[in-house]
Amino acid sequence: AEGFTIVASTDADAIRPVPPDVGTCASCERELFDRADLRYRHPFITCTDCGPRYTIIDDLPYDRERTSMKSFVPCARCAAEYASPSNRRFHAETVACHSCGPRVWLEDVDGAPRGVGDAAIMLAATALRVGAIVALRGLGGFHLAVDATNDAAVRRLRERKHRDAKPLAVMVRTFDDARAIADLSASEAALLRSSARPIVLVRLRSDASLARALAPGLDRVGVMLVYTPLHHLLLEAVARPLVMTSGNLSEEPIAIGLDEGRERLRPLSDLFLLHDREILSRCDDSVVRVAGAHAVIQRRARGYAPLPVRLPVAAPQTIIAVGPHLKNTFTLVRGDQAFVSPHIGDLEGLEALEHWRQSYDRYRTLFRIEPAVAVRDLHPGYLSSRVADELALSRTISVQHHHAHIAAVAAEHGVTVPVVGLAFDGTGYGDDGDVWGGEVLVADLAGYRRAAQLRYVSLPGGDLAAREPWRVALGYEALAGAQARAFSLAYYGVPITTRVGAGQQLARGVNAPLASSMGRLFDAAAAVLGVRRYASFEGQAAMELEALAGDQPATPLPFPIIEGGDRLILDPVPLLIALGEGRQHGVEVSLLAARFHESIAHAAAEAARRVATDAGIDTVALGGGSFQNARLLTSIERRLTKARLRVLVARALGPNDGAISYGQAAVAAWRMAHE
Ligand code: ZN
Ligand code: ZN
Ligand code: FE
């Protein structure tokens, strides 16, 4: 499984990095279930090889006094193991046992105690087996747990969490349990069992006895192996796979504190399984999927953060890059070391802002970096931009969103020469004030030129279009002239008055911004194919189209590339017309979904090839959330490789907006170093 361990590059000469949390090791797991062992069924068993690190460290150097374990004074036996060089727990800062370690207990939603220790775990397990929702204080924050085989219980969790359709992750106890629910490739198995213990998006077995409500309309589900002793004990007692989803409401930050968890999760849960070891840093579960030869990170957090990522050029001054508006991370830089925060979430609302500031303060303390320069997005209205401006540092640098995407990929590969960048995602603020997202850039860390783009379409309703794919289809229909009828399946179930209103927005150019977004093109295709007119989360339509397409072979449909003055224009209107007509003539929707993917891959690779030839460039970097689509990624990569181009794919940070802050930092560091 070489190539499937995701370890950020570290510099031996740099300050000792704060270690990430490590899943329970095999030796500790054995002792946990060994009646003869001192730590038999101890929910906080750890050793030097495993256990919490980043989430409990208050400051460096890493020793117990500067962690949230400091309130648990080791007993004589633990202290002896800590002091014995031959022991596995020699200098294990988190060593603890039943007599000296943290405690677990169970509470009902009114705070009334229901059990302590093993009894608490057993009671929680019993409740889970009859469909209860348990809020569980875990390693990097609260989880909401529910029986993953109980459809009604999973639906209830969705309702309470206000999460209609987004897939929910499942935790299983053993590797065999994982194989019982999913078909695993060797690389998926390796990721699943790696000590970072990420959620791996895998293909469900057709005979898996899991609730249908886990991932409606999709063929993949997120699976992870247990990674703390508490989860081990709970899953052993339940003897079923459990949904383990972040303890939050939709895209809010995950809850960590006892009182915070009680307050925020009371409306969502039936019981609280709690413990008294403080979580000092929030850290969600990481999410990874395998695409061809790549492990593609979708959310970088527990197990990977806060390992630093190298920059190709050392920054002359310290930097805080505040990151994007959605799926935010930030990056602190000293020299050539970039400390990318774990996934924070969407920067919307005061709570998210408060969480951002807390994480930022914690990072400044942990890495002893006092930033001199702030880096932000071009968009003046984002909360992230406001945050950057409020820091009031001596200097603020703005970086365009898609430039940051390409810079992130190039920088992590140490590439500083110009590349052709395919920057495909849902939304980013363009330097012309329009919505970008289907861009071919010629870029290096210093700057970029927009060499090709998706043809602009008006989005009636603006931001609403990201949740209502039919609106994007309506925008494209306005460009289709006599062939507008091909779009007729897109509006089924849309109230006529709403549609007329959107038509007026288009005609008058009111609240109908121009967009060249790849994400919206996927939405339009899903609508035109009659797959989805309304989405409950951004990207849902694209995920469904990918699931429909599967691996079936397909040829491209017409997707012309037009000379448009100073740049090439990729015109998807003929493609959408072909999809709509095909569907109306009864062509299988799965085949059309496959042909749609190949059309985009073909046109994108062709545009990249032309731009590369013109500019004398031999390298193409792929950045942006659209590259979480495995079929799109592998098909574009295959075509580019065939055209003898070198392809750079996001590795350490993933292709989506989680990498933006690192890209911003890379651009700023380069500019500062070269002025
Ligand atoms: Zn261990
Ligand atoms: Zn002890
Ligand atoms: Fe993006």
Side-chain angles (χ1 to χ4, degrees):
E2 208 179 317
F4 282 89
T5 39
I6 300 156
V7 177
S9 52
T10 57
D11 191 344
D13 302 330
I15 54 161
R16 214 182 128 200
V18 179
D21 302 292
V22 184
T24 305
C25 72
S27 307
C28 285
E29 182 184 341
R30 208 156 35 242
E31 291 170 352
L32 182 65
F33 294 108
D34 174 3
R35 284 171 189 283
D37 195 89
L38 170 67
R39 298 181 184 84
Y40 173 59
R41 300 190 68 79
H42 179 50
F44 302 93
I45 185 170
T46 61
C47 70
T48 39
D49 293 334
C50 74
R53 302 286 188 268
Y54 166 65
T55 54
I56 59 159
I57 293 177
D58 194 31
D59 200 354
L60 288 179
Y62 170 47
D63 59 37
R64 196 178 185 106
E65 275 313 296
R66 280 173 282 270
T67 73
S68 57
M69 284 301 289
K70 69 167 182 277
S71 35
F72 307 98
V73 179
C75 68
R77 293 170 77 175
C78 286
E81 288 186 54
Y82 180 90
S84 159
S86 62
N87 194 282
R88 204 172 86 246
R89 297 192 170 85
F90 178 55
H91 283 187
E93 305 302 341
T94 52
V95 64
C97 72
H98 288 289
S99 66
C100 65
R103 307 274 154 175
V104 296
W105 68 93
L106 190 71
E107 284 179 14
D108 64 24
V109 287
D110 299 318
R114 297 277 296 272
V116 294
D118 228 16
I121 295 167
M122 289 308 176
L123 282 169
T126 308
L128 282 164
R129 286 181 65 97
V130 295
I133 298 170
V134 174
L136 162 78
R137 194 187 204 196
L139 190 67
F142 274 81
H143 273 144
L144 291 167
V146 78
D147 180 354
T149 66
N150 182 334
D151 206 52
V154 173
R155 281 174 202 285
R156 209 157 59 91
L157 175 62
R158 282 198 180 284
E159 266 165 44
R160 291 199 193 166
K161 210 172 134 77
H162 299 202
R163 182 162 165 149
D164 301 335
K166 218 170 183 176
L168 295 164
V170 174
M171 181 182 268
V172 294
R173 199 172 86 75
T174 68
F175 183 61
D176 284 342
D177 295 339
R179 274 197 303 211
I181 57 174
D183 289 317
L184 301 174
S185 68
S187 7
E188 287 167 341
L191 271 174
L192 208 53
R193 302 168 93 163
S194 66
S195 64
R197 287 284 196 276
I199 295 171
V200 186
L201 296 177
V202 293
R203 194 158 274 160
L204 269 182
R205 286 172 59 118
S206 49
D207 60 351
S209 52
L210 289 179
R212 291 176 55 88
L214 281 179
L218 302 175
D219 59 342
R220 283 178 181 266
V221 71
V223 174
M224 66 181 140
L225 287 179
V226 278
Y227 58 84
T228 78
L230 180 55
H231 287 102
H232 261 291
L233 294 170
L234 186 65
L235 269 105
E236 196 232 8
V238 177
R240 285 177 198 169
L242 291 177
V243 167
M244 278 293 162
T245 186
S246 318
N248 57 7
L249 201 61
S250 60
E251 303 299 319
E252 287 176 0
I254 183 171
I256 58 173
L258 273 180
D259 289 338
E260 181 203 3
R262 286 182 180 114
E263 187 190 313
R264 286 175 55 195
L265 302 179
R266 179 169 292 126
L268 281 68
S269 19
D270 303 314
L271 286 167
F272 283 91
L273 185 58
L274 303 174
H275 65 72
D276 57 358
R277 186 184 68 203
E278 286 308 314
I279 300 168
L280 299 180
S281 293
R282 278 184 175 79
C283 205
D284 279 274
D285 295 317
S286 293
V287 183
V288 186
R289 81 174 286 187
V290 172
H294 309 288
V296 181
I297 294 205
Q298 308 210 337
R299 182 163 76 199
R300 180 180 184 267
R302 179 182 50 75
Y304 304 122
L307 286 176
V309 183
R310 279 281 286 277
L311 288 173
V313 123
Q317 287 176 284
T318 50
I319 294 174
I320 168 68
V322 300
H325 175 52
L326 302 176
K327 294 196 170 75
N328 181 275
T329 66
F330 62 80
T331 294
L332 276 178
V333 176
R334 188 201 300 110
D336 65 354
Q337 300 279 307
F339 296 94
V340 185
S341 78
H343 167 85
I344 289 180
D346 295 350
L347 275 193
E348 286 180 321
L350 287 179
E351 196 166 4
L353 201 59
E354 186 49 36
H355 169 37
W356 192 95
R357 291 194 176 113
Q358 280 171 17
S359 304
Y360 171 60
D361 286 342
R362 178 143 292 283
Y363 252 58
R364 280 193 303 167
T365 310
L366 273 182
F367 301 107
R368 296 199 169 79
I369 297 175
E370 214 30 77
V373 175
V375 194
R376 46 159 272 200
D377 191 77
L378 280 184
H379 196 299
Y382 285 166
L383 216 47
S384 60
S385 303
R386 215 177 82 197
V387 166
D389 295 343
E390 278 172 6
L391 293 174
L393 303 183
S394 63
R395 180 175 179 190
T396 302
I397 295 172
S398 300
V399 178
Q400 199 278 327
H401 185 89
H402 300 94
H403 183 210
H405 268 310
I406 298 309
V409 178
E412 98 165 279
H413 288 274
V415 170
T416 57
V417 295
V419 299
V420 174
L422 295 182
F424 293 169
D425 65 3
T427 300
Y429 183 72
D431 60 24
D432 56 1
D434 295 326
V435 178
W436 290 13
E439 316 305 322
V440 183
L441 307 179
V442 170
D444 57 17
L445 297 181
Y448 66 94
R449 170 170 72 80
R450 200 180 184 198
Q453 64 161 102
L454 265 184
R455 182 179 175 186
Y456 275 129
V457 62
S458 293
L459 300 178
D463 287 347
L464 216 49
R467 292 291 173 95
E468 301 190 359
W470 68 269
R471 289 179 180 270
V472 192
L474 192 69
Y476 278 116
E477 188 193 297
L479 306 174
Q483 282 149 302
R485 252 183 317 144
F487 289 75
S488 60
L489 274 176
Y491 317 109
Y492 186 83
V494 178
I496 188 70
T497 48
T498 312
R499 187 176 154 190
V500 168
Q504 286 168 348
Q505 286 174 324
L506 275 179
R508 294 179 192 149
V510 177
N511 195 18
L514 289 177
S516 55
S517 156
M518 187 59 77
R520 295 299 81 75
L521 177 56
F522 271 83
D523 288 347
V528 165
L529 289 172
V531 170
R532 176 159 297 281
R533 292 91 177 176
Y534 291 91
S536 64
F537 59 94
E538 196 191 357
Q540 185 180 18
M543 287 166 72
E544 284 172 334
L545 286 184
E546 188 193 356
L548 278 169
D551 298 328
Q552 67 179 308
T555 50
L557 292 161
F559 191 171
I561 301 172
I562 298 156
E563 295 286 346
D566 63 339
R567 72 186 76 123
L568 302 172
I569 308 290
L570 284 75
D571 182 7
V573 174
L575 169 59
L576 291 168
I577 291 169
L579 290 177
E581 286 178 346
R583 189 69 195 119
Q584 288 166 17
H585 289 111
V587 180
E588 253 332 293
V589 67
S590 62
L591 176 61
L592 291 170
R595 295 192 74 178
F596 173 70
H597 279 80
E598 294 315 306
S599 309
I600 292 177
H602 175 77
E606 177 58 19
R609 196 192 55 76
R610 283 207 222 166
V611 170
T613 306
D614 279 0
I617 290 172
D618 64 358
T619 304
V620 182
L622 311 182
S626 298
F627 290 106
Q628 294 177 123
N629 182 317
R631 176 153 189 164
L632 192 66
L633 170 65
T634 50
S635 182
I636 289 181
E637 187 184 23
R638 182 166 34 77
R639 290 164 192 273
L640 291 172
T641 308
K642 218 165 137 189
R644 295 171 189 275
L645 289 159
R646 176 186 177 207
V647 185
L648 305 179
V649 172
R651 293 168 67 97
L653 301 169
N656 72 15
D657 283 5
I660 286 289
S661 64
Y662 171 75
Q664 292 173 337
V667 170
W670 178 274
R671 286 188 189 160
M672 288 156 65
H674 289 85
E675 57 193 21

